[in-house]
Amino acid sequence: MDEQDVALIEMHAVTARAGETILAVGRRQAPRRVAGTWSMLTMGTGPTGAPWLLHRLYLRKKEKLDASQVEFLANVSHELRTPLTAMAAASQVMLQEYQSIQPDQLGNMLALLVRNTRRLESLVSNLIDAAGLQNGKLQLRKSAATVQSLVRDAYDFVLPLLDAKHQRLETRTTGEPPVLTVDAKRIVGVLVNLLANANRYGVPNEPIQLLIANEGTFVRFTVRQKGPGIPKEEQALLFERFYRTSSGAAVSGGSGLGLAIVKDIVEMHGGTVGMHSKPGLTTAFWFTLPIDGSGGVA
Ligand SMILES: Nc1ncnc2c1ncn2[C@@H]1O[C@H](COP(=O)(O)OP(=O)(O)O)[C@@H](O)[C@H]1O
Ligand SMILES: [Mg+2]
């Protein structure tokens, strides 16, 4: 933490009474991030020999928050405007020329409308989910769902996006795909986020792989695609809200919310997420879900 970036918002000192023990004396811990804030513990011994403990709580300074909010708004507005502009243009042409339009031209325009509707739909779902996760109001509605039905729904959703970049989806399963107890809409959203990222950040004309493997009491989903890879130093930050890699941010104005939502939703189901990337070769994002549905909070 850079101390200039943060403001001290709270400080309390605790002095141990006779008979009480403090874990360590004379140690100053490095600031640690706890629930979005920074904390620092300092321990020492007073003039009378009584140990004391000081807890400082920091918050990022307002201007830092504002900068990231402005950047987020700019990204999201761009994400909203780009598909809307394309949709407005295509529908206007269809309206003005519907009597003379050739079937394949019409097909292309309808594909454009569907593709951009999907982009908007997934952005808006991410915004709603991010708000729900942030204020603790997002609740899972779990029921039985087959892996096949989850994958099919996600595939139907992203197909227009994949088609536009000529990216085939190759699905490979290892073991009998289980029935899961999940919030199907949200797990489909998780798959859509990972597939949409592979679509957006992957190279055209290269297949995207979806691997589904039973691993004991968990099932693991991996989405892998060819691409430039993600440098090691950026990998640790990918699942943070608003984080976008320097090369990713150059691709288009995403929101930086997708992977943070993926992580939260998967963890609420009792699963885990991760990624691995071979620079210049492939990037893979994975998540697991417990097969018996007993993990996480309903
Ligand atoms: N499959 C991928 N290949 C390469 N980079 C990726 C991939 N998925 C995500 N990223 C990087 O991680 C960042 C965060 O992803 P995400 O949270 O989905 O936000 P967004 O897609 O809106 O930017 C992206 O901006 C991009 O830099
Ligand atoms: Mg994304």
Side-chain angles (χ1 to χ4, degrees):
M1 182 186 66
D2 184 347
E3 298 220 9
Q4 284 162 351
D5 291 347
V6 295
L8 185 63
I9 54 162
E10 209 178 302
M11 189 153 118
H12 20 251
V14 183
T15 310
R17 288 183 293 262
E20 281 182 356
T21 6
I22 278 182
L23 295 173
V25 175
R27 206 175 96 211
R28 179 183 152 110
Q29 279 187 359
R32 287 194 315 140
R33 212 170 160 185
V34 185
T37 59
W38 290 91
S39 280
M40 186 196 283
L41 281 178
T42 314
M43 300 168 208
T45 321
T48 60
W52 52 262
L53 178 74
L54 184 66
H55 177 218
R56 295 187 184 89
L57 186 63
Y58 299 87
L59 197 67
R60 282 209 174 270
K61 275 185 188 160
K62 194 90 179 103
E63 58 270 29
K64 281 280 170 189
L65 278 178
D66 284 348
S68 67
Q69 281 168 344
V70 167
E71 192 185 331
F72 171 71
L73 276 180
N75 286 340
V76 168
S77 315
H78 182 83
E79 275 292 280
L80 288 168
R81 202 186 53 194
T82 309
L84 280 174
T85 309
M87 290 162 82
S91 39
Q92 189 160 359
V93 170
M94 285 198 286
L95 179 65
Q96 284 167 350
E97 299 176 20
Y98 67 93
Q99 282 165 322
S100 58
I101 234 161
Q102 297 299 310
D104 55 337
Q105 259 185 312
L106 182 65
N108 285 342
M109 286 181 181
L110 290 173
L112 180 146
L113 286 184
V114 172
R115 187 165 70 241
N116 285 289
T117 313
R118 295 287 148 84
R119 281 181 69 179
L120 285 177
E121 229 181 312
S122 72
L123 172 66
V124 171
S125 315
N126 275 354
L127 292 174
I128 294 172
D129 284 355
L133 287 163
Q134 193 66 6
N135 66 19
K137 291 209 172 123
L138 189 143
Q139 300 222 324
L140 298 182
R141 292 185 192 177
K142 288 187 180 180
S143 61
T146 62
V147 166
Q148 289 94 329
S149 68
L150 298 166
V151 169
R152 195 181 49 238
D153 287 355
Y155 177 66
D156 287 346
F157 193 92
V158 296
L159 184 59
L161 304 173
L162 300 182
D163 277 351
K165 278 182 85 172
H166 307 288
Q167 293 161 319
R168 207 161 17 90
L169 184 70
E170 294 175 354
T171 307
R172 210 167 71 210
T173 49
T174 312
E176 182 65 24
V179 176
L180 302 170
T181 305
V182 292
D183 185 328
K185 191 176 125 196
R186 297 253 143 65
I187 295 303
V188 169
V190 165
L191 283 164
V192 165
N193 262 302
L194 297 188
L195 292 169
N197 280 349
N199 163 253
R200 180 184 285 179
Y201 304 111
V203 282
N205 307 310
E206 286 290 345
I208 292 171
Q209 290 165 332
L210 172 60
L211 315 173
I212 301 153
N214 287 358
E215 294 179 0
T217 55
F218 286 84
V219 58
R220 182 191 295 260
F221 298 79
T222 307
V223 175
R224 189 166 68 187
Q225 103 274 357
K226 275 198 184 169
I230 300 171
K232 263 253 149 6
E233 58 281 11
E234 295 197 279
Q235 292 181 10
L237 299 165
L238 289 173
F239 291 93
E240 296 271 327
R241 278 190 327 142
F242 309 130
Y243 186 77
R244 312 192 64 218
T245 64
S246 36
S247 60
V251 172
S252 74
S255 66
L257 290 173
L259 290 175
I261 295 172
V262 163
K263 182 171 192 288
D264 282 350
I265 298 286
V266 167
E267 288 179 353
M268 283 169 84
H269 279 86
T272 49
V273 296
M275 67 87 55
H276 38 92
S277 176
K278 294 186 196 138
L281 290 173
T282 54
T283 302
F285 282 83
W286 58 262
F287 66 96
T288 63
L289 290 173
I291 287 178
D292 64 3
S294 60
V297 205

PDB file of all heavy atoms in Angstrom, residues 75-76 79-80 118-128 254-255 257:
ATOM      1  N   ASN A  75     -15.921   3.183 -19.691  1.00  0.00           N
ATOM      2  CA  ASN A  75     -15.917   1.854 -20.310  1.00  0.00           C
ATOM      3  C   ASN A  75     -17.329   1.354 -20.548  1.00  0.00           C
ATOM      4  O   ASN A  75     -17.652   0.821 -21.600  1.00  0.00           O
ATOM      5  CB  ASN A  75     -15.188   0.847 -19.410  1.00  0.00           C
ATOM      6  CG  ASN A  75     -13.694   1.043 -19.426  1.00  0.00           C
ATOM      7  OD1 ASN A  75     -13.164   1.656 -20.356  1.00  0.00           O
ATOM      8  ND2 ASN A  75     -13.025   0.554 -18.409  1.00  0.00           N
ATOM      9  N   VAL A  76     -18.169   1.493 -19.512  1.00  0.00           N
ATOM     10  CA  VAL A  76     -19.524   0.958 -19.615  1.00  0.00           C
ATOM     11  C   VAL A  76     -20.324   1.733 -20.675  1.00  0.00           C
ATOM     12  O   VAL A  76     -21.052   1.140 -21.459  1.00  0.00           O
ATOM     13  CB  VAL A  76     -20.239   0.978 -18.250  1.00  0.00           C
ATOM     14  CG1 VAL A  76     -21.720   0.709 -18.403  1.00  0.00           C
ATOM     15  CG2 VAL A  76     -19.621  -0.058 -17.339  1.00  0.00           C
ATOM     16  N   GLU A  79     -19.319   0.468 -23.922  1.00  0.00           N
ATOM     17  CA  GLU A  79     -19.895  -0.854 -24.126  1.00  0.00           C
ATOM     18  C   GLU A  79     -21.367  -0.784 -24.479  1.00  0.00           C
ATOM     19  O   GLU A  79     -21.896  -1.657 -25.152  1.00  0.00           O
ATOM     20  CB  GLU A  79     -19.736  -1.691 -22.845  1.00  0.00           C
ATOM     21  CG  GLU A  79     -18.408  -2.378 -22.731  1.00  0.00           C
ATOM     22  CD  GLU A  79     -18.254  -3.461 -23.765  1.00  0.00           C
ATOM     23  OE1 GLU A  79     -18.778  -4.563 -23.592  1.00  0.00           O
ATOM     24  OE2 GLU A  79     -17.592  -3.165 -24.775  1.00  0.00           O
ATOM     25  N   LEU A  80     -22.061   0.200 -23.955  1.00  0.00           N
ATOM     26  CA  LEU A  80     -23.480   0.360 -24.267  1.00  0.00           C
ATOM     27  C   LEU A  80     -23.663   1.003 -25.640  1.00  0.00           C
ATOM     28  O   LEU A  80     -24.514   0.595 -26.413  1.00  0.00           O
ATOM     29  CB  LEU A  80     -24.170   1.243 -23.213  1.00  0.00           C
ATOM     30  CG  LEU A  80     -24.385   0.626 -21.840  1.00  0.00           C
ATOM     31  CD1 LEU A  80     -24.802   1.697 -20.832  1.00  0.00           C
ATOM     32  CD2 LEU A  80     -25.460  -0.460 -21.885  1.00  0.00           C
ATOM     33  N   ARG A 118     -27.115  -9.611 -27.615  1.00  0.00           N
ATOM     34  CA  ARG A 118     -26.453 -10.489 -26.627  1.00  0.00           C
ATOM     35  C   ARG A 118     -25.384  -9.731 -25.845  1.00  0.00           C
ATOM     36  O   ARG A 118     -25.237  -9.891 -24.639  1.00  0.00           O
ATOM     37  CB  ARG A 118     -25.822 -11.703 -27.325  1.00  0.00           C
ATOM     38  CG  ARG A 118     -26.820 -12.617 -27.977  1.00  0.00           C
ATOM     39  CD  ARG A 118     -27.586 -13.420 -26.946  1.00  0.00           C
ATOM     40  NE  ARG A 118     -28.943 -13.703 -27.370  1.00  0.00           N
ATOM     41  CZ  ARG A 118     -29.305 -14.720 -28.151  1.00  0.00           C
ATOM     42  NH1 ARG A 118     -28.414 -15.566 -28.584  1.00  0.00           N
ATOM     43  NH2 ARG A 118     -30.557 -14.901 -28.482  1.00  0.00           N
ATOM     44  N   ARG A 119     -24.626  -8.911 -26.555  1.00  0.00           N
ATOM     45  CA  ARG A 119     -23.577  -8.129 -25.864  1.00  0.00           C
ATOM     46  C   ARG A 119     -24.196  -7.224 -24.816  1.00  0.00           C
ATOM     47  O   ARG A 119     -23.717  -7.125 -23.692  1.00  0.00           O
ATOM     48  CB  ARG A 119     -22.800  -7.270 -26.877  1.00  0.00           C
ATOM     49  CG  ARG A 119     -21.770  -8.052 -27.645  1.00  0.00           C
ATOM     50  CD  ARG A 119     -21.029  -7.152 -28.611  1.00  0.00           C
ATOM     51  NE  ARG A 119     -20.151  -6.192 -27.930  1.00  0.00           N
ATOM     52  CZ  ARG A 119     -19.389  -5.315 -28.566  1.00  0.00           C
ATOM     53  NH1 ARG A 119     -19.410  -5.270 -29.885  1.00  0.00           N
ATOM     54  NH2 ARG A 119     -18.612  -4.496 -27.892  1.00  0.00           N
ATOM     55  N   LEU A 120     -25.305  -6.567 -25.200  1.00  0.00           N
ATOM     56  CA  LEU A 120     -25.959  -5.655 -24.259  1.00  0.00           C
ATOM     57  C   LEU A 120     -26.549  -6.433 -23.085  1.00  0.00           C
ATOM     58  O   LEU A 120     -26.429  -6.020 -21.928  1.00  0.00           O
ATOM     59  CB  LEU A 120     -27.087  -4.894 -24.959  1.00  0.00           C
ATOM     60  CG  LEU A 120     -26.651  -3.784 -25.899  1.00  0.00           C
ATOM     61  CD1 LEU A 120     -27.858  -3.164 -26.582  1.00  0.00           C
ATOM     62  CD2 LEU A 120     -25.891  -2.707 -25.125  1.00  0.00           C
ATOM     63  N   GLU A 121     -27.176  -7.572 -23.423  1.00  0.00           N
ATOM     64  CA  GLU A 121     -27.817  -8.367 -22.381  1.00  0.00           C
ATOM     65  C   GLU A 121     -26.796  -8.834 -21.356  1.00  0.00           C
ATOM     66  O   GLU A 121     -27.037  -8.770 -20.147  1.00  0.00           O
ATOM     67  CB  GLU A 121     -28.442  -9.592 -23.055  1.00  0.00           C
ATOM     68  CG  GLU A 121     -29.865  -9.864 -22.672  1.00  0.00           C
ATOM     69  CD  GLU A 121     -30.373 -11.100 -23.382  1.00  0.00           C
ATOM     70  OE1 GLU A 121     -30.186 -11.221 -24.624  1.00  0.00           O
ATOM     71  OE2 GLU A 121     -30.936 -11.961 -22.695  1.00  0.00           O
ATOM     72  N   SER A 122     -25.629  -9.285 -21.825  1.00  0.00           N
ATOM     73  CA  SER A 122     -24.673  -9.802 -20.851  1.00  0.00           C
ATOM     74  C   SER A 122     -24.045  -8.662 -20.052  1.00  0.00           C
ATOM     75  O   SER A 122     -23.778  -8.806 -18.855  1.00  0.00           O
ATOM     76  CB  SER A 122     -23.628 -10.715 -21.499  1.00  0.00           C
ATOM     77  OG  SER A 122     -22.746  -9.985 -22.264  1.00  0.00           O
ATOM     78  N   LEU A 123     -23.857  -7.509 -20.674  1.00  0.00           N
ATOM     79  CA  LEU A 123     -23.330  -6.367 -19.916  1.00  0.00           C
ATOM     80  C   LEU A 123     -24.322  -5.950 -18.826  1.00  0.00           C
ATOM     81  O   LEU A 123     -23.941  -5.733 -17.667  1.00  0.00           O
ATOM     82  CB  LEU A 123     -23.056  -5.185 -20.858  1.00  0.00           C
ATOM     83  CG  LEU A 123     -22.675  -3.877 -20.156  1.00  0.00           C
ATOM     84  CD1 LEU A 123     -21.330  -4.008 -19.436  1.00  0.00           C
ATOM     85  CD2 LEU A 123     -22.629  -2.703 -21.130  1.00  0.00           C
ATOM     86  N   VAL A 124     -25.604  -5.849 -19.203  1.00  0.00           N
ATOM     87  CA  VAL A 124     -26.600  -5.406 -18.228  1.00  0.00           C
ATOM     88  C   VAL A 124     -26.744  -6.436 -17.101  1.00  0.00           C
ATOM     89  O   VAL A 124     -26.826  -6.065 -15.917  1.00  0.00           O
ATOM     90  CB  VAL A 124     -27.955  -5.100 -18.928  1.00  0.00           C
ATOM     91  CG1 VAL A 124     -29.054  -4.842 -17.919  1.00  0.00           C
ATOM     92  CG2 VAL A 124     -27.791  -3.889 -19.841  1.00  0.00           C
ATOM     93  N   SER A 125     -26.718  -7.741 -17.434  1.00  0.00           N
ATOM     94  CA  SER A 125     -26.779  -8.756 -16.350  1.00  0.00           C
ATOM     95  C   SER A 125     -25.591  -8.599 -15.417  1.00  0.00           C
ATOM     96  O   SER A 125     -25.727  -8.741 -14.197  1.00  0.00           O
ATOM     97  CB  SER A 125     -26.720 -10.190 -16.860  1.00  0.00           C
ATOM     98  OG  SER A 125     -27.530 -10.375 -17.907  1.00  0.00           O
ATOM     99  N   ASN A 126     -24.401  -8.337 -15.997  1.00  0.00           N
ATOM    100  CA  ASN A 126     -23.227  -8.157 -15.143  1.00  0.00           C
ATOM    101  C   ASN A 126     -23.384  -6.953 -14.228  1.00  0.00           C
ATOM    102  O   ASN A 126     -23.006  -7.000 -13.059  1.00  0.00           O
ATOM    103  CB  ASN A 126     -21.959  -8.009 -15.989  1.00  0.00           C
ATOM    104  CG  ASN A 126     -21.360  -9.359 -16.371  1.00  0.00           C
ATOM    105  OD1 ASN A 126     -21.830 -10.405 -15.918  1.00  0.00           O
ATOM    106  ND2 ASN A 126     -20.341  -9.342 -17.187  1.00  0.00           N
ATOM    107  N   LEU A 127     -23.952  -5.875 -14.756  1.00  0.00           N
ATOM    108  CA  LEU A 127     -24.132  -4.681 -13.917  1.00  0.00           C
ATOM    109  C   LEU A 127     -25.105  -4.982 -12.777  1.00  0.00           C
ATOM    110  O   LEU A 127     -24.864  -4.602 -11.623  1.00  0.00           O
ATOM    111  CB  LEU A 127     -24.658  -3.508 -14.759  1.00  0.00           C
ATOM    112  CG  LEU A 127     -23.682  -2.935 -15.793  1.00  0.00           C
ATOM    113  CD1 LEU A 127     -24.380  -1.894 -16.650  1.00  0.00           C
ATOM    114  CD2 LEU A 127     -22.470  -2.320 -15.099  1.00  0.00           C
ATOM    115  N   ILE A 128     -26.196  -5.676 -13.098  1.00  0.00           N
ATOM    116  CA  ILE A 128     -27.184  -6.007 -12.057  1.00  0.00           C
ATOM    117  C   ILE A 128     -26.558  -6.944 -11.018  1.00  0.00           C
ATOM    118  O   ILE A 128     -26.701  -6.734  -9.807  1.00  0.00           O
ATOM    119  CB  ILE A 128     -28.434  -6.652 -12.695  1.00  0.00           C
ATOM    120  CG1 ILE A 128     -29.153  -5.618 -13.574  1.00  0.00           C
ATOM    121  CG2 ILE A 128     -29.381  -7.200 -11.635  1.00  0.00           C
ATOM    122  CD1 ILE A 128     -30.279  -6.181 -14.414  1.00  0.00           C
ATOM    123  N   GLY A 254     -14.477  -2.999 -22.240  1.00  0.00           N
ATOM    124  CA  GLY A 254     -15.227  -3.911 -21.356  1.00  0.00           C
ATOM    125  C   GLY A 254     -15.485  -3.205 -20.028  1.00  0.00           C
ATOM    126  O   GLY A 254     -15.103  -2.055 -19.840  1.00  0.00           O
ATOM    127  N   SER A 255     -16.106  -3.917 -19.107  1.00  0.00           N
ATOM    128  CA  SER A 255     -16.429  -3.288 -17.825  1.00  0.00           C
ATOM    129  C   SER A 255     -15.444  -3.690 -16.735  1.00  0.00           C
ATOM    130  O   SER A 255     -15.339  -3.033 -15.719  1.00  0.00           O
ATOM    131  CB  SER A 255     -17.836  -3.693 -17.405  1.00  0.00           C
ATOM    132  OG  SER A 255     -17.867  -5.085 -17.142  1.00  0.00           O
ATOM    133  N   LEU A 257     -15.887  -6.223 -14.952  1.00  0.00           N
ATOM    134  CA  LEU A 257     -16.677  -6.827 -13.877  1.00  0.00           C
ATOM    135  C   LEU A 257     -16.786  -8.343 -14.010  1.00  0.00           C
ATOM    136  O   LEU A 257     -16.978  -9.045 -13.023  1.00  0.00           O
ATOM    137  CB  LEU A 257     -18.109  -6.264 -13.903  1.00  0.00           C
ATOM    138  CG  LEU A 257     -18.291  -4.815 -13.493  1.00  0.00           C
ATOM    139  CD1 LEU A 257     -19.735  -4.381 -13.739  1.00  0.00           C
ATOM    140  CD2 LEU A 257     -17.941  -4.644 -12.019  1.00  0.00           C
TER     141      LEU A 257
END
